[in-house]
Amino acid sequence: MANLAKTIVATGATSGLGFELVKQLLAQTQPYKFILGARDTQRTQAAYDELKFDSSRHSLTVLPVELADLSTVKTFAQQVLQKLKQDDDRPIDYLLLNAAMARQDDAPGPGPSKWSDSYLVNHLSQHYLTHLLRPKLEASGSRIVVVSSGAIRSVKDTSHLDQDNKRHPESGRGVYPATKFTQLLGAHWWQRALQSTKCTVVAVSPGMIPGTGLPRYVKAGQPTIDPKHPDAKDVPTGARSILAALTVRDEDLPKDPEQLFLTSWGEWWPTDVYGLSLDKELQDKWCPGLEEIEREEGISA
């Protein structure tokens, strides 16, 4: 009996780790149906077409989204649900939240949001997307994979999150660790919110990967990952770490629901490594509800 196709809805799959992960999955005999969000749909579609994957086995749909503009996230979610409905009301097997931005001196953009673009991309937009897809995720028993970072360990004082997520450049603290820490709060929040369903939530660090597009906004003279660092990994290796988070069996997940962080070396981090993110009040503060997001970000009902 042929394997049934599995559906993956993903952000951050236009280049780097996300693109490599999809490339690896397209080489498998297990069929996949991909629905990918992209800022530049034509360029992304062309890049995947160049892979010349087996389209009789796999399918790939690229839909427009600009994660710094939450109104486009709402449209993307609507188009995803419409696409799934047209395809025999197909479930979402995996929601992959991989999009990320790293700006050392990020600041609020020209839109209505008070938050930095990095905060919108790394956390709020993908948290909002999960809200929008929640009924479908619950009905599907989806695996939600949040691509995190070891940079979350740089956050030692959570009282700075308000400032750093809005990003005042003079603070001297990197916005990337703050926004990724906030994203991890979101992973815990969704683990709690979905605990009575068949959904599972896994956060994963792909490791130190110098070959991605993440540093594209870093200015000259600012620190980047040294390709010669002894812990540096190449992009295919980093993508395999994310693949492990997608495919780990439910029965192999830790019994402690707070131990949801899979490392790049294939072990589950003990919770004391990221103990600050276990604060439920902090999780609630940084994980607003759908209506609150739309009201504060000026998104029409």
Side-chain angles (χ1 to χ4, degrees):
M1 181 178 176
N3 289 337
L4 295 176
K6 294 185 178 297
T7 301
I8 299 180
V9 176
T11 64
T14 61
S15 62
L17 290 169
F19 183 87
E20 174 62 27
L21 171 65
V22 175
K23 178 181 175 182
Q24 292 180 11
L25 290 170
L26 288 170
Q28 294 187 3
T29 55
Q30 164 67 50
Y32 286 97
K33 291 182 178 291
F34 297 93
I35 304 178
L36 311 178
R39 182 187 298 113
D40 187 336
T41 55
Q42 290 186 341
R43 183 185 65 80
T44 301
Q45 186 65 62
Y48 280 110
D49 288 344
E50 288 182 4
L51 297 179
K52 295 181 172 55
F53 61 88
D54 184 355
S55 58
S56 67
R57 183 183 304 276
H58 308 288
S59 70
L60 193 146
T61 301
V62 182
L63 299 174
V65 68
E66 168 53 76
L67 293 176
D69 180 353
L70 269 68
S71 65
T72 74
V73 176
K74 186 170 188 176
T75 302
F76 172 67
Q78 292 169 340
Q79 292 179 329
V80 167
L81 294 172
Q82 182 179 25
K83 172 68 176 173
L84 294 169
K85 187 174 182 179
Q86 292 172 346
D87 194 3
D88 298 325
D89 201 22
R90 178 170 294 279
I92 298 175
D93 294 287
Y94 306 101
L95 175 61
L96 173 63
L97 303 176
N98 179 60
M101 172 185 285
R103 281 178 171 161
Q104 298 298 94
D105 57 354
D106 207 357
S113 183
K114 64 184 178 182
W115 304 110
S116 68
D117 279 357
S118 291
Y119 173 79
L120 293 174
V121 171
N122 295 351
H123 173 59
L124 192 61
S125 64
Q126 298 181 97
H127 177 64
Y128 179 47
L129 176 62
T130 310
H131 270 305
L132 293 167
L133 298 177
R134 180 174 183 171
K136 187 67 173 179
L137 297 171
E138 291 184 350
S140 304
S142 307
R143 166 72 53 82
I144 301 168
V145 173
V146 177
V147 180
S148 185
S149 168
I152 59 100
R153 292 174 294 179
S154 299
V155 176
K156 307 297 185 182
D157 183 352
T158 60
S159 68
H160 296 306
L161 290 178
D162 282 286
Q163 183 184 39
D164 290 347
N165 285 330
K166 293 177 184 176
R167 192 47 185 166
H168 297 271
E170 65 273 13
S171 73
R173 293 180 298 273
V175 67
Y176 184 70
T179 57
K180 296 299 282 186
F181 179 87
T182 310
Q183 178 200 40
L184 183 59
L185 292 173
H188 287 298
W189 190 91
W190 280 110
Q191 179 76 293
R192 290 165 50 210
L194 298 170
Q195 62 184 347
S196 63
T197 74
K198 293 183 179 180
C199 294
T200 55
V201 180
V202 177
V204 61
S205 171
M208 185 182 292
I209 316 293
T212 73
L214 192 61
R216 62 188 178 278
Y217 295 110
V218 176
K219 294 182 179 179
Q222 292 179 328
T224 58
I225 300 174
D226 182 359
K228 297 182 180 179
H229 191 284
D231 293 332
K233 306 175 189 294
D234 59 21
V235 171
T237 301
R240 285 193 290 273
S241 294
I242 302 174
L243 179 60
L246 282 171
T247 57
V248 61
R249 300 182 304 172
D250 288 353
E251 54 266 36
D252 292 330
L253 296 173
K255 301 304 181 186
D256 181 354
E258 292 184 333
Q259 193 178 10
L260 51 66
F261 202 122
L262 185 63
T263 68
S264 61
W265 54 92
E267 298 176 359
W268 296 94
W269 253 352
T271 55
D272 59 357
V273 176
Y274 49 89
L276 289 176
S277 69
L278 303 181
D279 184 331
K280 293 181 175 60
E281 290 186 6
L282 200 63
Q283 294 167 14
D284 291 342
K285 174 182 177 179
W286 289 101
C287 297
L290 187 148
E291 292 181 357
E292 181 180 352
I293 294 172
E294 294 186 340
R295 181 174 65 253
E296 293 194 352
E297 297 302 313
I299 301 170
S300 59

